[in-house]
Amino acid sequence: MEGQPVTPSLLPISASDGELLQKFLEGAGTATQSFRYFDKRPFTVLKQHVSTFLLMVGENKPVAYGHLDEEGGIVWLGIAVSEGEQGKGYGKVMMDALIEAGKENDLSAIRLSVDKDNPRAKTLYQKYGFSVVGEKPSLYFMEYQY
């Protein structure tokens, strides 16, 4: 029905979904300034992920990305919501999916890093039960315990 909001759908992705992932990154706008995960990593890194998702609006519009990436014995959470799509609850949908994926994979904890100049993201993580476990001059490291 015209004018009705489209319900987003969660799409699990793999390294073979590079074209769709590229579409998200190209449309993310300023969100990629704080989400720098793919700046130095090829899309093949998805092979080592515990879980990776795109949140889709309609059939072909990715509006959010999220992953659980195992690196060095630690599982790291990464999330980004496209600039023009922020404030619509898509970050919450993605966080719910990632927390559930960690539970389904019997993880004991997940970590993330967040820029100190991104209080909106830090507040979202704290609402989910993440706590600060370390910091660098420009970053907080936060952890969620299952």
Side-chain angles (χ1 to χ4, degrees):
M1 185 184 266
E2 194 174 323
Q4 294 293 320
V6 178
T7 302
S9 60
L10 203 60
L11 177 66
I13 64 168
S14 66
S16 65
D17 294 307
E19 188 173 311
L20 202 51
L21 179 53
Q22 185 65 41
K23 183 174 183 172
F24 168 74
L25 293 171
E26 289 172 356
T30 60
T32 57
Q33 292 172 1
S34 60
F35 181 74
R36 299 173 293 274
Y37 183 79
F38 289 108
D39 287 358
K40 296 179 182 175
R41 293 176 180 91
F43 292 166
T44 55
V45 73
L46 272 63
K47 292 177 183 178
Q48 74 187 35
H49 287 187
V50 175
S51 296
T52 313
F53 301 105
L54 281 172
L55 189 64
M56 306 295 291
V57 173
E59 290 187 28
N60 204 22
K61 183 179 179 188
V63 296
Y65 166 89
H67 70 239
L68 296 176
D69 174 19
E70 187 170 5
E71 188 176 285
I74 298 172
V75 177
W76 293 90
L77 181 147
I79 184 173
V81 177
S82 293
E83 176 184 11
E85 304 295 338
Q86 295 173 0
K88 298 180 180 180
Y90 297 149
K92 182 183 181 319
V93 172
M94 187 59 73
M95 287 296 294
D96 289 344
L98 293 170
I99 297 288
E100 183 62 26
K103 187 177 180 179
E104 290 173 359
N105 284 281
D106 294 322
L107 301 180
S108 60
I110 50 179
R111 285 197 186 166
L112 58 82
S113 63
V114 61
D115 292 340
K116 287 184 176 180
D117 65 359
N118 192 350
R120 186 177 189 172
K122 184 179 179 224
T123 298
L124 173 69
Y125 302 141
Q126 287 173 318
K127 285 181 181 178
Y128 274 88
F130 282 82
S131 57
V132 175
V133 294
E135 64 182 279
K136 287 187 175 182
S138 63
L139 292 173
Y140 290 114
F141 295 98
M142 302 180 78
E143 185 172 86
Y144 176 89
Q145 295 280 330
Y146 284 92

